[in-house]
Amino acid sequence: MRKKKKSLTEVSALGQYIPMSVHKARRVIDQIRGRSYKETLMILELMPYRACYPILKIIYSAAANAKHNKGFEKEDLLVWKAEVNKGPTRKKLKPRARGRSYLLKKPTCHISVVLKDISYYEAYQTLYTREKYLPSNFRLKSSGAIWDKK
């Protein structure tokens, strides 16, 4: 297994063994991917799903990691990657009539969130992407925002 190279602008948080279906968590994660930190908090606080609370805690944890470990400002953070993976299924036996038992399957999931600091990219665009310094074949074409792709 290859070790991932750590980026200078990324911080992450991981929540494991969360007692919830993967599909229910993905429904919420798909809404916040690519949004800013403040916008993500507003969306998660107003959505009516049960999956919002553990995801909100993971987003808070990733932002606290960014502030404490790397000194990033929370206003400059962007939800860069957010994914939900299937965890192990807990199995319980429930007693039923006539001495029989019924298997209850409780699904779990692992949620990982990566936040990226976009202030470095804004500084990069102002310093190094001036049109007069770049050759004609290296000109960058962008709509102005990093998170436009969807």
Side-chain angles (χ1 to χ4, degrees):
M1 186 171 171
R2 250 194 271 161
K3 203 171 190 182
K4 278 203 269 185
K5 188 177 177 183
K6 291 191 177 182
S7 175
L8 295 175
T9 60
E10 290 182 356
V11 290
S12 63
L14 177 66
Q16 292 186 320
Y17 307 106
I18 297 170
M20 179 181 317
S21 169
V22 176
H23 305 290
K24 292 176 185 176
R26 278 191 188 140
R27 176 174 57 182
V28 176
I29 285 285
D30 289 339
Q31 297 294 320
I32 64 167
R33 192 177 291 121
R35 297 187 188 261
S36 68
Y37 174 70
K38 285 187 173 183
E39 192 177 354
T40 301
L41 294 183
M42 282 193 294
I43 289 171
L44 289 175
E45 286 173 0
L46 296 174
M47 283 179 92
Y49 303 121
R50 196 191 86 185
C52 292
Y53 183 67
I55 293 171
L56 185 69
K57 284 175 63 173
I58 293 168
I59 296 282
Y60 274 137
S61 175
N65 291 343
K67 180 91 170 148
H68 183 267
N69 297 342
K70 298 208 176 176
F72 295 156
E73 294 297 323
K74 291 184 179 181
E75 294 82 32
D76 298 333
L77 295 176
L78 195 75
V79 179
W80 194 251
K81 291 180 191 172
E83 59 185 29
V84 181
N85 295 321
K86 190 174 189 294
T89 303
R90 289 187 320 174
K91 295 177 179 122
K92 287 182 166 183
L93 290 175
K94 183 176 181 183
R96 298 305 293 252
R98 301 167 104 187
R100 295 190 177 134
S101 62
Y102 180 72
L103 186 66
L104 292 176
K105 294 180 180 178
K106 305 270 188 173
T108 62
C109 65
H110 306 312
I111 301 173
S112 64
V113 172
V114 176
L115 299 180
K116 193 166 234 182
D117 188 22
I118 59 170
S119 64
Y120 287 105
Y121 293 104
E122 292 168 359
Y124 174 78
Q125 285 179 346
T126 57
L127 290 176
Y128 298 109
T129 59
R130 296 191 179 140
E131 294 292 325
K132 62 182 178 180
Y133 295 119
L134 286 178
S136 61
N137 57 346
F138 284 99
R139 300 252 160 83
L140 299 176
K141 294 179 183 171
S142 156
S143 64
I146 297 170
W147 54 85
D148 278 350
K149 56 183 179 181
K150 190 151 192 190

